[in-house]
Amino acid sequence: MQEHTKIYIDGAWVPSTGSGSIEVFDSTNGEVIGTIPAGTAADVDAAAKAARAAFDGWAATSKEERAKYCSRIAEGLGARMDEIATIVTREAGMPKWLSLLVQAGLPINSFGTAAALAESYEYETTVGNSLVVREPVGVVGAITPWNYPLHQIAAKVAYALAAGCTIVLKPSEVAPLDAYVLAEIIHDVGLPAGVFNMVTGSGAEVGQAISEHPAIDMVSFTGSTRAGKAVAAAASGSLKRVALELGGKSANILLDDLDDAGFERAVRDGVGKAYINSGQTCTALTRMLVPAARLADAERIAQDEVESNYQPSDPFADGARLGPLSSQTQVDRVNSYIQKGIDEGAKLVTGGTGKPEGLEQGYYVKPTVFSDVRNDMTIAQEEIFGPVLSILPYDSDDAAVAIANDSPYGLSGGVWSGD
Ligand code: NDP
């Protein structure tokens, strides 16, 4: 049980000006594993002012100095990998062995890459008679989600630091415990006060306050389209720069020139690409497009792959491939999408609504495959963020491309060919 009572502002752990706290749940059993302060707009104001005051000094440090801090943070993360992987597996549900590689590994990569970039980046270039000077944008607000929680934080914080920006971070209230580990590491490496600040709390209060704050020059957000629109609207009042990384409904096109072995390999791989991190991945390939003549083969192979290799289990168990979802909210969301798929007439190949057998506690759902899905069905149009694969038949390459592009989302995509 981690009871956090402080937030991090101006180089110190301080209490929030509010009195509320938020519970954090263990995805594997639904028990409370931690609490964090429900921060306030006043906390964001204090953090933004600290970041503003620190900016000129930090922006003026040498690139070697900034690289040194990024490298030290990477080392600090490296020393706590197992702890980070355990925390994120409890928060988000990814199998522990994979969490070690991805959830704990990628943040180290980000800080290492940022260190190298800080030193090698061309801050000044000459174009004709002009000198182009690239300067840090200022104070960056970072609002991050729960699916790859520390990775999403590192992918913003590391590069902002390397560029010479100062930061106000709001981690996801669903998965904030890993962010405390990072803040502790940042404190221990002695980053100058005010360069990195962290205010925990809800999107509605803390996220909104970051998006609106006039002293914050840019907001970088990853999460749902709904919240992304709210961030962009709130940011428009102060005309700050906005970077949004939102959802996906990516297509995986299996072309008709694949031989039988290639087709089988592509279907099995496609299940994995849809199910990684229990489908809680913005780039998940959730629409598999197959030649109509091979629809039955695709169903048979996908069903076998799911039932043989993707049965849900405790993510700490040996050989776990599919853990729980991150929250009860996500369980309800995913089950309601599965029900919609059934109601709208898609063919249920495997899975369905409800709890998998033997996993009544924890945020587990049944890995599900639908076939004969039409692209106008809800399950083909909306991001589900769970282990739910839709298989869609197509008649020609052009039709496949048209189906792939008939989506309000962008982000990712796959093509398999025998050539
Ligand atoms: P959100 O978009 O609500 O959460 C992402 C972050 O935004 C969180 O830190 C959240 O705060 C914050 N936030 C929420 N509302 C606001 C707001 N009005 N202003 C500023 N910040 C805000 O995602 P959900 O948790 O609701 O997930 C819903 C769906 O979003 C998922 O099912 C999935 O489809 C999609 N999603 C996509 C992600 C991606 O990587 N592309 C990542 C996560 C979700 P809080 O801590 O209160 O939640």
Side-chain angles (χ1 to χ4, degrees), residues 309-321:
N309 294 323
Y310 283 95
Q311 285 312 294
S313 66
D314 178 349
F316 289 97
D318 281 347
R321 298 280 294 275

Side-chain angles (χ1 to χ4, degrees), residues 143-147 152 170-173 201-203 207-208 221-224 226-227 230-231 245-247 282 330 333 383 385:
I143 303 174
T144 55
W146 40 260
N147 55 340
Q152 301 284 9
K170 187 206 95 65
S172 162
E173 63 176 287
S202 74
Q208 172 84 13
F221 168 87
T222 301
S224 66
R226 174 200 62 79
V231 166
E245 197 248 326
L246 308 175
C282 51
Q330 281 303 113
R333 252 177 85 88
E383 185 176 47
F385 242 51

Side-chain angles (χ1 to χ4, degrees), residues 299-324:
E299 289 171 12
R300 178 181 50 75
I301 298 163
Q303 178 175 9
D304 180 65
E305 180 65 13
V306 171
E307 293 176 2
S308 314
N309 294 323
Y310 283 95
Q311 285 312 294
S313 66
D314 178 349
F316 289 97
D318 281 347
R321 298 280 294 275
L322 193 78

Side-chain angles (χ1 to χ4, degrees), residues 2 4 24 33-36 87 91 172 175-182:
Q2 296 190 24
H4 292 289
V24 183
I33 47 166
T35 54
I36 53 159
I87 290 174
E91 291 176 329
S172 162
L177 303 178
D178 57 273
Y180 274 88
V181 176
L182 176 66

Side-chain angles (χ1 to χ4, degrees), residues 70 73-75 77-78 81 101-117 151 154-155 158-159:
C70 287
I73 295 167
E75 280 165 25
L77 289 167
M81 275 183 90
L101 290 170
V102 175
Q103 307 277 12
L106 288 181
I108 299 172
N109 242 5
S110 287
F111 278 97
T113 304
L117 266 176
H151 164 57
Y159 299 101

